[in-house]
Amino acid sequence: MSLELAYKVKGYRFDLSEGKFRYRLDPQEDELLSSWLIRTALFHLTEPSTFVNLYLPRWRNVLWARDVDVWADKDLLETLSLKSGIAYETLYNLTLRSYEGYLAETITPKTRNPFIQFLKNCSRMKVGYGLRFCPECLRSDETPYFRKKWRLSFSTA
């Protein structure tokens, strides 16, 4: 079965833009928002970009072109909260902006931030080294996911 079948049946495309996510996937401890979104999309048998296009058409072709872990604004997080049934505060804590006041006075999506590894985007492809990971942690996780602390410049393995 192709991934296309998860949202398209005999040429009819379901309008999922107003509905809630079909399945609720709770975030893991210290998980990045991008990691949670990808896990949620894959749990829905959908590519992450397709999932956003179907459930979040306002952010179509925008969300993955940015560093969503820094960029996620109040409107996106409120929409995700409504669609997922997960509290806004929980989703906000998945972002790197939750480190405001600790790592830096403010964390802004417009420029590089101190102590946060910069994701270099080329279209929707990440071509920098901002998202580092521990292969042993991913291998040993019951549910593999990317941690917020792995985006910090002083986090090393």
Side-chain angles (χ1 to χ4, degrees):
M1 172 158 82
S2 80
L3 289 178
E4 183 177 79
L5 293 179
Y7 68 93
K8 191 174 181 182
V9 177
K10 292 186 181 179
Y12 177 76
R13 193 172 215 139
F14 297 102
D15 182 10
L16 302 173
S17 61
E18 298 298 320
K20 293 186 176 202
F21 298 161
R22 303 265 190 236
Y23 306 103
R24 177 185 165 135
L25 209 62
D26 288 326
Q28 300 292 317
E29 183 180 339
D30 193 42
E31 186 168 17
L32 280 167
L33 180 65
S34 58
S35 174
W36 174 78
L37 276 170
I38 290 168
R39 286 189 321 105
T40 300
L42 295 175
F43 198 77
H44 282 79
L45 300 177
T46 318
E47 293 281 336
S49 58
T50 303
F51 181 80
V52 169
N53 292 348
L54 291 171
Y55 282 98
L56 307 162
R58 178 172 168 204
W59 291 277
R60 178 185 181 107
N61 300 326
V62 173
L63 192 131
W64 297 116
R66 299 179 179 176
D67 183 352
V68 68
D69 299 314
V70 175
W71 168 80
D73 62 4
K74 183 178 181 182
D75 195 28
L76 173 63
L77 294 175
E78 285 176 345
T79 302
L80 287 172
S81 177
L82 178 71
K83 289 182 169 290
S84 69
I86 296 171
Y88 173 90
E89 294 78 21
T90 301
L91 294 172
Y92 177 80
N93 285 328
L94 300 179
T95 71
L96 295 169
R97 294 178 90 172
S98 64
Y99 287 138
E100 278 188 336
Y102 299 103
L103 289 178
E105 186 76 24
T106 58
I107 295 175
T108 175
K110 303 243 186 254
T111 61
R112 292 186 183 194
N113 294 285
F115 308 116
I116 294 177
Q117 290 294 112
F118 176 69
L119 285 185
K120 184 177 179 187
N121 291 336
C122 182
S123 184
R124 282 186 263 168
M125 297 294 295
K126 308 300 184 221
V127 295
Y129 299 101
L131 185 54
R132 298 172 301 172
F133 62 92
C134 169
E136 185 55 41
C137 296
L138 291 176
R139 196 174 5 265
S140 64
D141 282 343
E142 186 175 314
T143 302
Y145 67 97
F146 289 90
R147 277 86 161 160
K148 284 174 27 179
K149 64 184 170 191
W150 292 346
R151 287 287 309 274
L152 302 179
S153 60
F154 49 81
S155 181
T156 59

